[in-house]
Amino acid sequence: MPFTILKKQELVPTLHRMDIAAPRVAEKAMPGQFVILRIDECGERIPLTIADFDAADGTVTLIFQEIGKTTCQLASLGAGDSIADLAGPLGCASTIEKFGTVVCVGGGVGIAPIFPIARGLMEAGNKVISIIGARSADILFWEERMKEASSELYVTTDDGTKGHHGFVTDIVQNVIESGEQVDRVIAIGPPVMMRAVAGVTKPFGIKTVVSLNPIMVDGTGMCGACRVLVGGVTKFACVDGPEFDAHEVDFTLLMSRLAMYLPEEREALDYKAAEDPAV
Amino acid sequence: MKIKTESKPEKRSKMAKQSPSKRRSNFEEVALGYNRYEAVAEANRCLNCKKPPCIEGCPVGVDIPRFIRQIAEEDFDSAVLTLKSTNSLPAICGRVCPQETQCEAVCVLGKGGKGDPIAIGGLERFVADYEMEEGVTIPDLPSPTGRRVAVVGAGPAGLTAAAELAKIGHSVTVFESLHAAGGVLVYGIPEFRLPKSIVAAEVDFIRRLGVDMRMNSVIGKIGTVDELLRDYDAVFLGTGAGLPSFLGIDGENLNGVYSANEFLTRVNLMKAYLFPEFDTPVKKGRRTIVVGGGNVAMDSARCALRLGAGEVTIVYRRGEDELPARAEEVLNAKEEGIIFRLLTNPIRILGDGNNWVTGMECVNMELCEPDESGRCRPVPVPDTEHIIPADVVVIAIGTSPNPLVSMTTPDLEIAGYGTIVADETGATSKPGVFAGGDIVTGSATVISAMGAGKVAAKAIDEYVRGLSGYENLLNIT
């Protein structure tokens, strides 16, 4: 049974929001979990973290950036279209409990998955200090939503077009050094950003959690494509994660494994372009 | 016109195969099946034993002499009915069952080395393929019993249980985590050994028995067994042994190192051999090493070859006699030019500065005297370390049960290695919950999983009929 796209919106250039009718997934979804989708019979299976879910409406919200062939093809679909497959919710849910003060960091497209976690932590009675960052103001999204889901919100841009001119790590450092008793940090974004956040919090011994996004195929522990090294032990991000202790993650390995199919991604894009110039 | 055959030749009819030089570069089926002349000739070799041992040798108890006699009489339609009455997946079994260790192993024709046992597998495939060509007929189904059964996992065990239960009149829903039904039949076994169109046709037969198949439904995530028991009278767990084992040696996380599950899933289920027409890529190595000696290792090696690897090497720590793969598949692999480095064990996988695999360091092994269990343990031969270059490595050393269901079902008794404890009927420690196939036994064969599904279906039938209220329900319908 195909899954219908109810809403599609380009939030900022090349970054899209898609609400998909998937009542059973929406009913069970928890912050931090992901889905695996496949567009059509020829499609690959890609994981996307759940950015929001509404059990009453039976919808799951996904945010994705046009990067490879599949995300570009997904971006070409609109409300009323459907995708062949959507499996989830997969992975372990984020630990939501009353920690005290939690810093939530979202970088780039990582702002989307940090949102339901920040909201959940707020509802659990935490003081939530959120920091969201992007390369530039014109590709920053969900600032309002994040403001509502946080006690305090900081914005950073690499080029200074909005908020703090610099990186999210600058604000993480400032918050900690301001004397704020930070009990937990959770960071989602590009691996370099997550590694940098882990580097900032480690000297202070603050428990830091990151959500990893390695390549996956089945997403149920069957293939091991998503192997990550955490504390020297191989874990499968799909079933053991996707969240792990940031201070234990081998980010170098993660980044090298993420780059494994770059030549094939290019080939797939070229093939698609030759076949269908519109996409 | 009747097809004339000589009386009881000692040699079986040979099944045509694609030539090794041709097939090593395509994914089309290797064994081409019997035509009707060959099938009838082969069927005529059957002795029609009074006490046929072959039926005993079949995990699902197919009436083998009967369907073979029907082939000999050229009554193929009756042969279909005979087969289908006990086996819902004959086109699959005819291709992938290890008949040589089951029904054919006990065939009287093969006793004492006088001649070849009758080609039961080949004949089963012939009948099943005949049915597909002629158009599959759906048996008359009994009136619904009103009982509902949930089946978790659409692999060989689950599909068989579902078909058996549907044929009795129970309402069956199958929950499958992947986007296609078939389990290992679609993600594991390659197209050239079991075409996916065959699996799809047999799955379609089960669907037409009235079974509701729900894909993309990961039980343990989208719902628990306890939640299923609220909507269903019984649950069958056929979740398989899907978790890949790794060697635990240095270099296993290098780029280019795959579990056999990942490599085969990309190639088979996701059709990476048709990339970029299909979106899923797989690394096409120039030199591929496959570690392991089972059917999965043979499948991986032969896939790698067909993807275009110039050199494919199987590395296995024991000897030729110990290879767990079917002899036929070992022969096929050898014919295609797969290199076998037996009595060889990996020590570590080597990589370059960019985290890409470049080779594997191995050591020669020798088999010591058999221990109390009768198995010869391989031990390393000192100073025989050597390096085999490779740009793709596939680890095919086995799988263990998937814990997604057991983790979310606290009162289900689990044995060592994560298998679910079930009695000989498939009943688990939890009332109303049955299990069978690799999730109970650890990784085994398609047919043994089907046998377990069939046995459990019988037990489930008895269980749901015993539930209070059944008699009332019968009176209504």
Side-chain angles (χ1 to χ4, degrees):
Chain A
M1 264 234 307
F3 294 80
T4 308
I5 299 163
L6 300 176
K7 187 177 160 190
K8 181 1 213 350
Q9 184 191 359
E10 188 164 20
L11 294 178
V12 295
T14 75
L15 193 139
H16 307 266
R17 170 191 173 145
M18 200 170 253
D19 292 4
I20 300 176
R24 289 158 55 82
V25 181
E27 188 190 328
K28 293 287 178 175
M30 307 272 270
Q33 291 188 295
F34 64 93
V35 295
I36 294 247
L37 66 80
R38 192 179 71 128
I39 298 177
D40 56 29
E41 278 311 304
C42 297
E44 62 180 333
R45 296 169 63 97
I46 62 158
L48 287 174
T49 311
I50 298 171
D52 203 357
F53 46 92
D54 188 328
D57 286 353
T59 56
V60 173
T61 300
L62 304 175
I63 304 276
F64 61 93
Q65 188 144 31
E66 291 177 47
I67 295 171
K69 192 250 169 185
T70 300
T71 43
C72 290
Q73 189 185 349
L74 198 59
S76 73
L77 302 177
D81 291 335
S82 61
I83 57 171
D85 302 290
L86 184 101
L90 299 170
C92 301
S94 193
T95 309
I96 303 284
E97 56 187 69
K98 188 161 180 187
F99 296 107
T101 299
V102 184
V103 172
C104 290
V105 185
V109 73
I111 297 168
I114 204 76
F115 165 73
I117 295 171
R119 182 177 61 189
L121 289 167
M122 277 286 276
E123 285 167 5
N126 293 283
K127 177 177 180 186
V128 175
I129 302 172
S130 293
I131 305 160
I132 57 173
R135 263 195 340 271
S136 186
D138 60 350
I139 50 168
L140 191 77
F141 67 99
W142 276 15
E143 191 183 340
E144 279 307 309
R145 285 193 132 204
M146 282 303 294
K147 200 176 273 172
E148 281 167 30
S150 315
S151 318
E152 292 170 26
L153 177 71
Y154 297 89
V155 172
T156 73
T157 49
D158 300 2
D159 62 1
T161 44
K162 184 151 203 182
H164 169 75
H165 185 168
F167 300 115
V168 288
T169 39
D170 305 337
I171 307 289
V172 176
Q173 184 99 30
N174 290 350
V175 169
I176 297 168
E177 285 177 349
S178 72
E180 181 83 44
Q181 166 69 38
V182 176
D183 299 291
R184 192 178 179 91
V185 174
I186 173 153
I188 309 181
V192 273
M193 184 212 89
M194 294 192 286
R195 181 168 64 183
V197 171
V200 169
T201 59
K202 192 162 187 189
F204 299 96
I206 300 169
K207 170 80 177 178
T208 303
V209 174
V210 286
S211 177
L212 305 185
N213 59 337
I215 294 166
M216 295 184 186
V217 183
D218 65 286
T220 63
M222 212 184 81
C223 81
C226 63
R227 310 200 281 292
V228 290
L229 207 56
V230 183
V233 180
T234 297
K235 300 273 184 189
F236 289 4
C238 67
V239 286
D240 301 322
E243 293 186 2
F244 293 101
D245 183 337
H247 299 146
E248 299 285 338
V249 169
D250 183 337
F251 286 101
T252 310
L253 180 74
L254 174 73
M255 286 186 263
S256 112
R257 288 187 66 83
L258 277 168
M260 189 157 159
Y261 293 102
L262 286 181
E264 286 83 1
E265 276 176 34
R266 237 166 278 135
E267 192 183 340
L269 273 171
D270 292 346
Y271 178 83
K272 184 76 193 160
E275 207 186 36
D276 181 3
V279 175
Chain B
M1 198 189 79
K2 287 276 163 188
I3 299 162
K4 286 236 162 77
T5 50
E6 294 168 37
S7 61
K8 319 292 179 215
E10 287 177 356
K11 292 284 170 203
R12 59 168 58 173
S13 301
K14 263 201 140 176
M15 188 182 289
K17 282 198 221 174
Q18 271 199 78
S19 76
S21 60
K22 190 177 166 212
R23 72 185 193 236
R24 70 200 298 277
S25 53
N26 71 53
F27 275 82
E28 285 152 37
E29 197 165 16
V30 168
L32 302 171
Y34 286 140
N35 62 32
R36 61 171 61 200
Y37 297 97
E38 292 160 341
V40 170
E42 181 64 17
N44 270 306
R45 292 176 62 229
C46 182
L47 298 173
N48 263 310
C49 306
K50 278 218 174 60
K51 278 190 189 164
C54 49
I55 302 181
E56 295 281 308
C58 174
V60 296
V62 167
D63 190 345
I64 294 164
R66 188 180 159 91
F67 94 79
I68 291 182
R69 194 167 59 245
Q70 288 161 334
I71 297 174
E73 291 163 358
E74 294 177 53
D75 184 1
F76 305 137
D77 292 315
S78 299
V80 169
L81 292 178
T82 303
L83 254 182
K84 278 276 180 91
S85 68
T86 40
N87 185 348
S88 299
L89 308 170
I92 293 167
C93 289
R95 287 171 166 84
V96 302
C97 268
Q99 291 96 6
E100 64 280 6
T101 61
Q102 298 182 143
C103 53
E104 291 177 10
V106 291
C107 176
V108 175
L109 276 175
K111 286 277 140 100
K114 293 192 301 278
D116 293 334
I118 193 149
I120 300 168
L123 291 175
E124 180 177 32
R125 170 179 166 171
F126 167 76
V127 174
D129 289 358
Y130 165 85
E131 189 200 19
M132 280 190 198
E133 269 175 39
E134 297 293 310
V136 176
T137 46
I138 303 300
D140 291 332
L141 296 172
S143 54
T145 61
R147 290 297 180 197
R148 293 162 56 81
V149 182
V151 170
V152 183
L159 288 175
T160 304
E164 294 299 317
L165 290 162
K167 283 192 221 166
I168 305 168
H170 299 307
S171 163
V172 184
T173 307
V174 177
F175 296 90
E176 165 58 41
S177 65
L178 291 172
H179 57 260
V184 73
L185 306 171
V186 290
Y187 74 74
I189 303 178
E191 180 78 14
F192 56 82
R193 212 149 70 75
L194 178 64
K196 299 304 149 243
S197 58
I198 298 283
V199 181
E202 303 232 300
V203 168
D204 187 54
F205 169 75
I206 294 169
R207 210 174 255 135
R208 285 164 67 195
L209 293 174
V211 173
D212 179 12
M213 302 253 192
R214 298 198 190 157
M215 301 301 108
N216 302 308
S217 302
V218 187
I219 299 303
K221 292 291 177 188
I222 203 154
T224 61
V225 170
D226 284 304
E227 284 169 314
L228 288 177
L229 282 171
R230 280 182 226 148
D231 293 332
Y232 298 89
D233 298 302
V235 174
F236 176 76
L237 301 173
T239 49
L243 234 56
S245 300
F246 285 91
L247 292 157
I249 59 174
D250 278 353
E252 270 186 310
N253 292 330
L254 288 165
N255 285 353
V257 180
Y258 290 99
S259 73
N261 265 6
E262 181 186 355
F263 186 71
L264 291 174
T265 300
R266 284 178 178 274
V267 175
N268 300 322
L269 178 71
M270 307 310 298
K271 296 198 163 37
Y273 64 94
L274 297 174
F275 179 85
E277 186 190 337
F278 280 68
D279 294 343
T280 305
V282 69
K283 285 293 167 190
K284 298 168 181 172
R286 278 177 294 115
R287 281 184 289 216
T288 299
I289 295 175
V290 177
V291 181
N295 288 321
V296 173
M298 300 305 138
D299 287 345
S300 302
R302 296 171 69 199
C303 281
L305 190 77
R306 284 160 172 77
L307 288 171
E311 187 182 294
V312 182
T313 307
I314 292 226
V315 167
Y316 178 60
R317 63 192 185 129
R318 296 173 196 267
E320 176 101 30
D321 294 344
E322 286 79 25
L323 280 170
R326 294 181 71 185
E328 186 189 336
E329 301 307 336
V330 174
L331 176 69
N332 280 335
K334 284 184 173 170
E335 282 178 358
E336 289 165 15
I338 307 283
I339 301 161
F340 282 71
R341 291 183 82 144
L342 305 173
L343 290 165
T344 304
N345 203 33
I347 304 170
R348 64 193 171 107
I349 304 170
L350 309 163
D352 64 15
N354 295 319
N355 203 47
W356 278 95
V357 64
T358 57
M360 181 183 263
E361 184 176 352
C362 297
V363 65
N364 293 348
M365 307 292 278
E366 59 187 353
L367 292 177
C368 63
E369 292 299 306
D371 59 16
E372 285 141 21
S373 72
R375 245 163 100 84
C376 296
R377 200 165 46 82
V379 290
V381 181
D383 303 323
T384 59
E385 290 82 2
H386 57 281
I387 288 169
I388 308 172
D391 46 12
V392 168
V393 171
V394 180
I395 311 292
I397 56 164
T399 53
S400 57
N402 194 320
L404 278 181
V405 167
S406 48
M407 269 177 359
T408 51
T409 318
D411 46 351
L412 198 61
E413 194 187 332
I414 305 299
Y417 303 109
T419 51
I420 294 175
V421 177
D423 68 14
E424 67 283 356
T425 71
T428 69
S429 60
K430 190 174 170 70
V433 179
F434 299 76
D438 285 3
I439 189 66
V440 172
T441 59
S443 37
T445 60
V446 168
I447 188 70
S448 65
M450 289 178 56
K454 189 165 176 149
V455 167
K458 192 162 175 286
I460 291 168
D461 178 47
E462 280 165 20
Y463 173 81
V464 296
R465 281 177 198 277
L467 292 174
S468 62
Y470 183 75
E471 282 74 19
N472 294 341
L473 225 130
L474 266 191
N475 291 339
I476 297 164
T477 53

